[in-house]
Amino acid sequence: MPGPDIIIAVDAMSGDRGCEPVVRAAESAVSENRALRIVLLGSKAILEAFLMRDHERIEVIDASQVVTMDERPSHALRHKQSSSMAAALRMVAEGRADGCVSAGNTGALMAMGRSILRTYPGIDRPAIIKRVPSFTTPTYVLDLGANVDAGAENLFQYAVMGSLMARAIEGIENPRVALLNVGAEDVKGNEQVRLASHMLASQSTVHYIGYIEGDDLFRGVADVVVCDGFVGNIALKTGEGVAELLRDLIRLSFTRGWYGRLIGLLAAPLLKRLGRRMDPALHNGASFIGLRGVVIKSHGNADTTGLNAAIHQACSEVEQGIPKRLSESLEQIDF
Amino acid sequence: MPGPDIIIAVDAMSGDRGCEPVVRAAESAVSENRALRIVLLGSKAILEAFLMRDHERIEVIDASQVVTMDERPSHALRHKQSSSMAAALRMVAEGRADGCVSAGNTGALMAMGRSILRTYPGIDRPAIIKRVPSFTTPTYVLDLGANVDAGAENLFQYAVMGSLMARAIEGIENPRVALLNVGAEDVKGNEQVRLASHMLASQSTVHYIGYIEGDDLFRGVADVVVCDGFVGNIALKTGEGVAELLRDLIRLSFTRGWYGRLIGLLAAPLLKRLGRRMDPALHNGASFIGLRGVVIKSHGNADTTGLNAAIHQACSEVEQGIPKRLSESLEQIDF
C-alpha cells in the first residue's frame, strides 16, 4: 500500500539559470517518484508556459516577487515577503508542504528561513550540511556557508546536529565527529576552533574524535566534519573545482592525438563510470539543518540534473522524518 | 662564466620523515645544480652517517636541538635557540647562507623567522605563499597558514606582497589580485574580507579584480589570490586531497578486471603524463614572504622528491633576488 503523498514546495524563480531547468527537474522528479507532488512557486504565466503539459502532480502557485542573487538578506526579509522563496518556506511553515527546495541567494534563504520557520530550541543558527562522497563512507560536512563567523558555541551546535543527521540518514550508531583545522595537534587553529574542541571533548553525547585537516575531508576518516561557514564553503567549492579541473584534464588526455583518441574510445566505459563518481550534479543539494522543516539549498547554477537531485534529497529527508527526529533528539540534550 | 655560488641552509631534522630524505634531496639537488652549495643543520653524527660519501658542496653543521611538530611556537622560541631550525634561519640572518629550507613546525618557523630575520617595514606579519598550478597560468595563493586570524590590514599587505612576487617570478607586469570569498557579490563574506576589499579598491598599486570563490582557485582567473591563513591552508589541502583521491580512483579504474588492466597498459603513457601534472611532490615548497630573507617551508611529510623541489625553489628565489626586489618595492608603497 503506498504511503501518503510527499509534497515539496519548489522556489522556481531564484536560481541563476531561470525557471526552465526547475520545471524540467520537477517533471522528471514526479515521473521518478509516484508518491511525490510538487508545488512550483513563481510567476504563474511563465511557469505554465514552460510546463510541457498539465501534470496532475505538479501545481503552480503564483508568487509575484523574486529575490535576486546580490540582494542583502535584510533587504529581502523586509521587502520580499511575496517572493517565490518566502512563499515556498511559508508552505512548509503552514504544513501545506513537507519540505522545500530553493536555488536562490543563500543569505536570504537563511534569513527568511529563520524568520518564517524558526530554529529548534538550543540552536542559535541553522547550518548548511551536505553529504559529501568519499573513497569509503560518505561524510556530512557543515557549515557550508549559512554563517561566515561562527563562534565556538555555534560549532558545538553544528556538531550535535551533524551527528544526529548522520545517525538518522546513514544509520550510524555513534557517528565520528571531527573539527576541520589547519593541523592535527592540540595547539593548532584559531580561538573558536580550539574552544569548540575543548567543549566537545568535555561531553559524551557526540562521539568527538578531534581535528582533521583539509586533505582528509574526502577520505572518510570522520562521519561528520564541522567548520565555520566561510571555511566550509571555500573548502567544498575548492574540492569541486579541483575535481572539475581534473575531469577536463582527463577528457583532454583521451581526446588529443590519434593514440589518445583510440585509447579514449577503448577506455570509454571505464571513463564513464569514473565520470559518474566525479559528477557534482549528482551530489547537488545541501540541507539547512536547525530550521523546523526540510529546506534544501541547491547550487545557484544547478542544471536540470542537479535540481532533480535536490528535489529527491528533500523527499528522502521527509521520508526519514528528519525534522521530527532532530527535534526529539535535541530535547534530550542539555545545552 | 658561472655566477657566484648559491648557499642554501637546510634544516635536516624537523620533518615528519626524519633526516634521511633530506640528505638524499640535498645530494640530488647539488648534482642537478652545479652552482649550489648546501649546509645541512642537525645532528652531525647522524647526518654524516646518512651522507653517501664526502661531497665538496655539502657541509654539515652541528645543531643539538630539534623543534617538534606539536611544540608551541612560544616554547620553541624560548627554549630551542640551538635547534636545527633556528640555526638555519640564523645562517640567513648572518649572511652565511642565501636562503633556507625547513620541513618543520610551521608556527615555530614563523615565530623564529620573525624573531631572527624580522619583517620588512610596513609588513606586520609574514605570510606563506605558494605557486599553485592551474589549467592556464599559475596562481600565487597566500596566506596558507602563517596566521590563522588575519585582519583586513594583513590581507591588504598580503595582496601587496603577492603582487610583487608574481611580478618578480612570473614577469607579469600588472598581476590580477583577487580576494577569496564565499560569493562574488559585494555583500558576501565576513567583515575582514569586505573591509580588505574596500581598501584594495581604493588604491592603485595593486591591480585588484574583486572576489573569487573556491572553485576558481585552480582556474587561473587571478594571478594572486589572497585569504586568511586558516582558510588558505584548508582550501589548498582540500584541493590536494581531492587530487590525490582522484589519482587513486583513476589507478583503480585501470587496474581492476582484465579489461581495465588491458586499457591501463595501453593508456600508461597518457596516465603517466596526467600523473605528473597532478603530482603534489613536484609542487612542494612554499615561501615565507615578508621576512628579510628566503625561507622555504616544505610539507612536513615531504619525501626526497618533494624536499628536492623545495631546495630548487629556494635557489630560484635567490637567483631572482626576491628579498631585494621586495624590499625595494615596499619602500615605494605608502601603507
Side-chain angles (χ1 to χ4, degrees), chain B:
Chain B
M1 209 177 78
D5 283 359
I6 293 172
I7 303 172
I8 303 296
V10 179
D11 166 8
M13 308 302 284
S14 310
D16 289 329
R17 302 194 182 202
C19 55
E20 189 176 2
V22 183
V23 172
R24 294 287 97 80
E27 287 170 337
S28 63
V30 293
S31 75
E32 286 151 12
N33 182 348
R34 300 203 57 82
L36 172 64
R37 298 161 58 89
I38 287 180
V39 181
L40 294 173
L41 287 307
S43 157
K44 195 160 178 152
I46 299 177
L47 292 173
E48 286 181 345
F50 275 120
L51 272 168
M52 293 286 193
R53 54 183 179 82
D54 273 355
H55 199 296
E56 58 173 12
R57 285 184 285 120
I58 300 182
E59 184 187 352
V60 175
I61 294 185
D62 201 47
S64 55
Q65 294 177 308
V66 178
V67 174
T68 59
M69 281 294 181
D70 57 357
E71 195 163 344
R72 279 181 195 278
S74 55
H75 185 272
L77 206 53
R78 264 197 304 273
H79 304 288
K80 295 287 178 74
Q81 288 295 332
S82 310
S83 62
S84 53
M85 185 185 281
L89 288 163
R90 214 170 289 119
M91 291 215 44
V92 180
E94 294 168 356
R96 291 157 63 210
D98 301 300
C100 68
V101 173
S102 175
N105 181 327
T106 308
L109 186 60
M110 153 94 168
M112 286 197 172
R114 285 176 76 173
S115 131
I116 295 173
L117 284 171
R118 309 198 175 224
T119 54
Y120 294 112
I123 301 298
D124 296 323
R125 300 172 179 183
I128 298 178
I129 186 168
K130 190 167 170 174
R131 185 181 189 270
V132 164
S134 93
F135 224 166
T136 52
T137 52
T139 300
Y140 284 80
V141 185
L142 76 166
D143 170 32
L144 296 176
N147 310 290
V148 293
D149 49 4
E153 291 279 347
N154 300 118
L155 295 174
F156 180 82
Q157 292 166 15
Y158 297 169
V160 171
M161 293 193 290
S163 176
L164 293 172
M165 187 83 156
R167 189 178 304 151
I169 302 253
E170 305 296 324
I172 304 165
E173 184 64 37
N174 222 356
R176 298 158 302 161
V177 177
L179 281 168
L180 190 58
N181 199 355
V182 296
E185 301 85 12
D186 263 1
V187 300
K188 294 289 177 69
N190 56 26
E191 218 177 288
Q192 305 89 284
V193 169
R194 285 206 305 267
L195 185 53
S197 178
H198 181 75
M199 290 165 72
L200 285 166
S202 330
Q203 54 75 53
S204 56
T205 311
V206 171
H207 176 33
Y208 176 58
I209 61 166
Y211 297 139
I212 69 157
E213 297 186 59
D215 41 0
D216 274 337
L217 197 50
F218 299 96
R219 294 234 157 248
V221 299
D223 302 305
V224 179
V225 175
V226 171
C227 56
D228 168 65
F230 192 83
V231 173
N233 180 292
I234 287 173
L236 197 78
K237 283 189 183 154
T238 301
E240 287 172 354
V242 169
E244 205 179 311
L245 193 69
L246 294 179
R247 265 213 322 277
D248 292 350
L249 269 177
I250 293 169
R251 197 179 300 132
L252 208 66
S253 291
F254 289 103
T255 49
R256 202 159 49 182
W258 68 268
Y259 192 74
R261 280 199 299 273
L262 176 67
I263 304 299
L265 218 60
L266 293 170
L270 304 178
L271 292 174
K272 202 169 161 190
R273 198 164 50 197
L274 194 65
R276 262 202 308 272
R277 284 193 75 162
M278 291 164 67
D279 188 355
L282 300 179
H283 306 292
N284 182 41
S287 316
F288 266 90
I289 194 170
L291 291 176
R292 299 170 186 248
V294 170
V295 179
I296 304 296
K297 165 76 177 83
S298 157
H299 241 296
N301 70 352
D303 60 7
T304 302
T305 311
L307 289 159
N308 177 281
I311 294 171
H312 284 304
Q313 190 185 334
C315 291
S316 122
E317 290 196 14
V318 170
E319 282 162 4
Q320 298 296 323
I322 298 295
K324 188 158 171 288
R325 290 166 76 170
L326 200 57
S327 138
E328 285 169 1
S329 307
L330 285 171
E331 276 169 21
Q332 291 160 25
I333 290 173
D334 182 27
F335 278 103

Side-chain angles (χ1 to χ4, degrees), chain A residues 181 213 215 230 237 259 266, chain B residues 181 213 230 237 259 266:
Chain A
N181 200 355
E213 298 187 59
D215 42 359
F230 192 84
K237 283 189 183 155
Y259 191 74
L266 293 169
Chain B
N181 199 355
E213 297 186 59
F230 192 83
K237 283 189 183 154
Y259 192 74
L266 293 170

Side-chain angles (χ1 to χ4, degrees), chain A residues 276-287:
Chain A
R276 261 202 310 274
R277 284 193 76 163
M278 290 165 66
D279 187 357
L282 300 178
H283 306 292
N284 183 41
S287 317

